[in-house]
Amino acid sequence: MYAVVRRYEGVTDPAEAGRLVAEGFVPLLRQVPGFVAYYWIDAGDGVMLSTSVFEDHAGADESVKRAADFVRDNLASLLPNPPQITAGPVVATG
């Protein structure tokens, strides 16, 4: 498995961002081959995190592209800063 974590800072409306992600982005992500799981987390103080898990690196790469497109087209005013992206193979699970 392969995971991607995105950290967004300066989120202007976390509730609205969460709604748009749940209604618009999650359905798109589920269509990516190898999709395993997705989590959108409100860390408080204008910080939100997403974690995507895929069966392979190719699916994770596709998720990064889809996330960038979705943010640009639907969330630019709510997520004004580019995310910090961390990705890599999953080496342990619980």
Side-chain angles (χ1 to χ4, degrees):
M1 285 191 298
Y2 204 87
V4 180
V5 177
R6 295 174 201 80
R7 177 185 171 98
Y8 296 90
E9 296 179 354
V11 179
T12 60
D13 187 342
E16 180 65 3
R19 184 186 72 76
L20 292 170
V21 166
E23 293 176 4
F25 183 62
V26 173
L28 294 175
L29 204 57
R30 285 188 176 136
Q31 297 173 4
V32 175
F35 173 82
V36 174
Y38 179 81
Y39 306 95
W40 180 255
I41 302 157
D42 185 347
D45 296 324
V47 175
M48 299 195 89
L49 306 167
S50 72
T51 302
S52 306
V53 181
F54 290 86
E55 292 176 2
D56 56 29
H57 190 216
D61 283 349
E62 179 63 22
S63 79
V64 170
K65 293 174 190 170
R66 290 191 187 202
D69 291 345
F70 189 82
V71 168
R72 182 193 66 234
D73 296 343
N74 301 281
L75 296 171
S77 65
L78 301 174
L79 308 176
N81 302 311
Q84 298 171 342
I85 301 172
T86 305
V90 174
V91 296
T93 63

